[in-house]
Amino acid sequence: MAPPRFLLRRARAACAVASLVAAGCRPERAPSPPAAPEGMVYVPGGVVHVGSTRGGPDERPVFAARVRPFFLDRRLVAVAQFRRFVESTHYVTDAERFGDAGVMDPDTGEWVLVSGATWHHPLGPGTPPAPDDHPVTQVSWRDAAAYARWAGRRLPTEVEWEHAARGAVDSRAPYAWGDRLVVAGRYMANTGELAATRDTVHMGEPDPARRAARQHPSADDGHLMTSPVGAYGETRLRLSDMGGNVWEWTDSWYRPYADRDAPYVPTPASERVQRGGSFLCSTDFCHGYRVSARSHATPETASFHVGFRTAADVPEPGDHR
């Protein structure tokens, strides 16, 4: 009686592997991912569905995009890193040249231009300086792009950013870390949920009432303003602050998704996309820390709740740069 066909196929496969081993060959293995530059992570390529049917109008229609592998900063660019760039290049930011920048008045909830607000004093002269380990803010898109060039990198596109926020596996969770903002009583991002009273604002210092309230299941994250980069843990790709803390500039022009394949010529009024949400965002105000949420501003605009991280291309095989 002849053996079943599947046993013959298995035997032939075993013989083929044995022959390769005998000849000094080994079956091919998937190549290891390239080593990421210091402070960055490797983001595998793949297909991502950008947008959400449950989000705002500018998050629709959802579309599929193929993304090449790339590197992305694990953390937001911090104040100390930006200072090294300024000291090395004598760079002058847009806010410094214009003489003012955007700050939200905590009493009125309205945006105002504050004279002298800069990356090192985001709330203006006479206020505490920005802590070195907090994300740099009051930087325009042009400032962020200049830093990226100095570092030999670039800004990520918004499709790349969302691909990374979805774990490079097209996760449909609303947040980069999962399904919930609060896990086991701990906030997973620096957001504006349950905004506390703002009798005083200390740049980056946890409000005492908030800090005490963190023990309660409905408490918010403990910071009135920015928080240290990486303070809220990491995603499966080892990325931090992919929701909350500060919005992040991307390299993409802000356009309706329905027009993404149409020719586009930027004008002086054109805006760049920001992703990730900030310490001001809450479920009843923009909910911007969702992975699909978008914001936007003109390239020269600087404000106290926007920063950035950089990206880099993965070298092609044979590229020894």
Side-chain angles (χ1 to χ4, degrees):
M1 179 177 173
R5 290 185 179 181
F6 79 91
L7 290 179
L8 287 174
R9 288 196 296 268
R10 183 179 298 174
R12 289 167 183 161
C15 289
V17 171
S19 299
L20 286 171
V21 173
C25 301
R26 293 291 186 273
E28 289 189 7
R29 296 179 179 177
S32 300
E38 183 178 0
M40 306 187 90
V41 299
Y42 173 75
V43 181
V47 174
V48 60
H49 286 81
V50 177
S52 172
T53 58
R54 299 182 178 181
D58 67 348
E59 298 173 40
R60 301 190 295 268
V62 175
F63 67 94
R66 180 167 292 279
V67 183
R68 294 178 58 84
F70 65 101
F71 298 121
L72 189 65
D73 285 345
R74 286 181 61 188
R75 296 183 171 184
L76 295 160
V77 173
V79 171
Q81 293 172 288
F82 197 79
R83 179 179 294 109
R84 288 195 291 272
F85 160 62
V86 169
E87 292 175 348
S88 175
T89 63
H90 305 290
Y91 183 83
V92 178
T93 63
D94 277 331
E96 290 169 313
R97 290 191 298 105
F98 293 142
D100 54 33
V103 176
M104 180 176 282
D105 186 321
D107 297 319
T108 66
E110 296 180 352
W111 286 95
V112 294
L113 286 174
V114 174
S115 296
T118 64
W119 64 270
H120 45 82
H121 284 79
L123 300 180
T127 63
D132 279 358
D133 62 345
H134 284 227
V136 66
T137 63
Q138 298 296 20
V139 286
S140 69
W141 179 90
R142 299 190 302 202
D143 301 332
Y147 174 96
R149 287 193 297 271
W150 171 77
R153 299 174 183 177
R154 59 177 175 81
L155 297 179
T157 67
E158 73 165 324
V159 169
E160 287 178 325
W161 193 97
E162 185 160 334
H163 178 62
R166 294 190 183 280
V169 293
D170 203 20
S171 165
R172 304 320 294 171
Y175 310 120
W177 54 86
D179 294 318
R180 298 182 179 181
L181 175 60
V182 182
V183 178
R186 176 178 179 270
Y187 269 74
M188 304 301 291
N190 180 9
T191 71
E193 296 295 331
L194 305 175
T197 54
R198 302 183 181 209
D199 297 328
T200 57
V201 175
H202 298 288
M203 181 65 192
E205 291 297 322
D207 176 75
R210 283 191 172 196
R211 186 168 50 209
R214 291 180 72 181
Q215 305 305 315
H216 192 277
S218 63
D220 66 349
D221 53 79
H223 292 90
L224 285 174
M225 302 283 288
T226 57
S227 53
V229 295
Y232 289 83
E234 297 180 336
T235 69
R236 62 178 299 276
L237 287 181
R238 298 188 301 123
L239 297 167
S240 66
D241 293 311
M242 292 295 284
N245 214 352
V246 294
W247 285 99
E248 304 177 30
W249 287 111
T250 76
D251 195 49
S252 301
W253 291 106
Y254 180 70
R255 308 171 61 193
Y257 286 160
D259 298 338
R260 68 185 183 278
D261 294 326
Y264 183 70
V265 179
T267 71
S270 295
E271 299 178 307
R272 296 282 187 172
V273 175
Q274 299 163 347
R275 287 304 201 102
S278 78
F279 59 83
L280 291 176
C281 293
S282 66
T283 52
D284 59 0
F285 179 72
C286 89
H287 205 166
Y289 42 90
R290 294 174 299 107
V291 294
S292 57
R294 308 171 79 195
S295 187
H296 48 94
T298 54
E300 76 280 359
T301 298
S303 57
F304 82 143
H305 73 322
V306 178
F308 68 100
R309 75 180 75 216
T310 67
D313 296 327
V314 173
E316 295 288 342
D319 187 347
H320 301 292
R321 289 179 297 175

